[in-house]
Amino acid sequence: MTAVLTGIGGFLPPRAVTNDDLSRTLDTSDEWIRTRTGIRERRMVSEGLSTGSLAVEAGARALRSAGVTGVDAVVVATTSPERLCPAVAPEVSSRLGLGTVAAFDVTSACSGFLYGLATAAGLIDSGTADTVLFIGSEAFTTLVNQHDRTTAPIFGDGAGAVVLRRGAPEEPGALGPFDLGSDGALADLLAIPAGGSRQRSADAGLGHASVPAADWYLRMEGRPLYTQAVERMAQSAARVLDRAAWPVTDVDWFVGHQANLRIVRAVAEELQLPGERVAVNIDRVGNTLAASVPLLLNDYAAGGALRPGHRVLLSAFGAGLSWGSTVLVWPDVKAEPVD
Ligand code: COA
């Protein structure tokens, strides 16, 4: 038995921020952002919306798509948790009316959807759960310094979700083999230094040194990350195709993490995948970390480009460093446009 995808949903916060909007407060331009990243606009949470509420909306849509009202477990992948403690998944489960089922978070930045998918599938493979709601949800723009032109244009908020059920490996929607990897020696290329146990906030009399304001926000070394992203995603995708015994010519859609349009295209080129098989929505959403791959799947399924029987290659790369890939034949699932 194996985990089979049986429902999908996505949600974006309503506030759209264009490159021109950003250019009003940042020393940047629509032209620079578009040509270097492929991004035209992104969504950002506003008052009242955060990772949990985005997850609830996307989760509700995925449950509706699967035609179920209950699951055995809820897993949320996020690197912008509501709070350092507790995990957001139990609250999401409760708000969705799913009761007291197993619920926990997975943290793996932009590869969170692949790591979380493998974890959720593992709950099914091990017999712990028959059905799992798995959500990638991020309000990561709250952790990005909106006055830093090197990071602010890149990220966006949103959530994407899937429902997995126990099924047979030969069914459409059955998740194929996974390839997962990491390189912690390069952890500092993309990090938020403060807020955790290593660099705590100044507080009432406990003697912690004051934390510089910039350390509360994301720090990124774009150039080396770019190179790593292309290499690691291409290698991981090639390994998973090999394990699945899929020749690259069989792939109908490459659904890669939307970090940068040039990165996705370069990975496809490495794999010798023609451009028309590369799914893209970064222009409208930016980099939404763990929500990126499911939002892209939802967009293409809802728009009719991704159809039952299509062979799909999923791959992602992110902070950690971390990366992951898997394959599936797209099942006959209902998908609603995000808005
Ligand atoms: N607007 C205008 N100019 C900008 C700018 C902005 N928003 N951000 C940087 N610049 C400037 C730089 O200061 C630099 O100027 P200089 O040549 O005078 O020093 C110039 O543009 C080039 O900067 P560089 O960082 O070398 O650009 P790049 O082509 O590497 O593109 C990224 C930058 C961030 C888009 C690219 O490196 C990238 O996508 N990296 C991967 C990031 C990523 O994927 N992160 C998430 C991991 S999942």
Side-chain angles (χ1 to χ4, degrees):
M1 299 306 276
T2 194
V4 174
L5 190 151
T6 182
I8 187 150
F11 182 74
L12 292 171
R15 184 163 73 104
V17 178
T18 65
N19 294 344
D20 284 335
D21 292 334
L22 287 182
S23 307
R24 279 186 211 112
T25 50
L26 280 178
D27 180 17
T28 188
S29 65
D30 172 56
E31 206 261 337
W32 192 97
I33 301 171
R34 253 188 311 104
T35 53
R36 298 290 177 124
T37 70
I39 301 168
R40 289 171 187 274
E41 66 174 39
R42 72 288 294 143
R43 301 294 183 89
M44 290 191 190
V45 288
S46 37
E47 205 53 45
L49 282 178
S50 53
T51 296
S53 43
L54 302 181
V56 167
E57 294 286 348
R61 290 174 186 204
L63 292 168
R64 193 155 64 226
S65 161
V68 299
T69 53
V71 291
D72 299 325
V74 177
V75 181
V76 175
T78 187
T79 300
S80 41
E82 300 254 313
R83 301 177 276 192
L84 272 183
C85 173
V88 72
E91 191 182 331
V92 169
S93 171
S94 168
R95 285 170 65 183
L96 283 168
L98 297 170
T100 56
V101 297
F104 61 96
D105 292 359
V106 170
T107 302
S108 193
C110 296
S111 63
F113 188 76
L114 268 297
Y115 268 83
L117 196 60
T119 306
L123 291 173
I124 291 175
D125 290 343
S126 65
T128 307
D130 285 333
T131 52
V132 181
L133 172 62
F134 169 49
I135 308 168
S137 185
E138 305 279 4
F140 196 76
T141 62
T142 59
L143 303 173
V144 173
N145 179 353
Q146 293 303 320
H147 300 293
D148 175 2
R149 72 173 184 172
T150 66
T151 52
I154 291 171
F155 297 93
D157 301 326
V162 295
V163 175
L164 303 179
R165 66 162 170 81
R166 182 178 293 270
E170 57 281 359
E171 279 185 70
L175 299 178
F178 279 86
D179 175 76
L180 301 171
S182 75
D183 183 359
L186 298 178
D188 289 342
L189 289 186
L190 191 70
I192 301 170
S197 60
R198 191 187 293 190
Q199 200 176 344
R200 292 178 59 189
S201 58
D203 62 357
L206 289 178
H208 298 298
S210 182
V211 171
D215 286 5
W216 295 104
Y217 294 106
L218 180 76
R219 281 203 195 145
M220 184 176 87
E221 289 186 42
R223 278 274 167 100
L225 265 179
Y226 185 102
T227 313
Q228 286 286 327
V230 175
E231 265 180 43
R232 297 302 192 178
M233 261 203 279
Q235 289 164 356
S236 176
R239 270 195 299 271
V240 98
L241 287 177
D242 193 45
R243 272 181 216 162
W246 284 20
V248 74
T249 46
D250 275 13
V251 174
D252 293 301
W253 285 113
F254 171 50
V255 178
H257 168 56
Q258 304 285 288
N260 181 320
L261 181 58
R262 292 187 293 144
I263 292 177
V264 182
R265 285 196 176 140
V267 173
E269 218 164 274
E270 289 276 318
L271 293 169
Q272 297 186 315
L273 259 168
E276 63 271 17
R277 295 198 216 147
V278 180
V280 169
N281 70 352
I282 193 170
D283 51 319
R284 286 176 296 112
V285 299
N287 179 348
T288 59
L289 294 93
S292 173
V293 167
L295 276 171
L296 185 54
L297 285 171
N298 190 78
D299 268 5
Y300 271 61
L306 172 57
R307 293 191 294 278
H310 277 165
R311 288 171 160 250
V312 187
L313 166 64
L314 309 181
S315 190
F317 165 89
L321 303 179
S322 58
W323 53 86
S325 305
T326 191
V327 294
L328 80 161
V329 174
W330 194 247
D332 191 6
V333 285
K334 293 186 201 106
E336 309 169 27
V338 283
D339 49 20

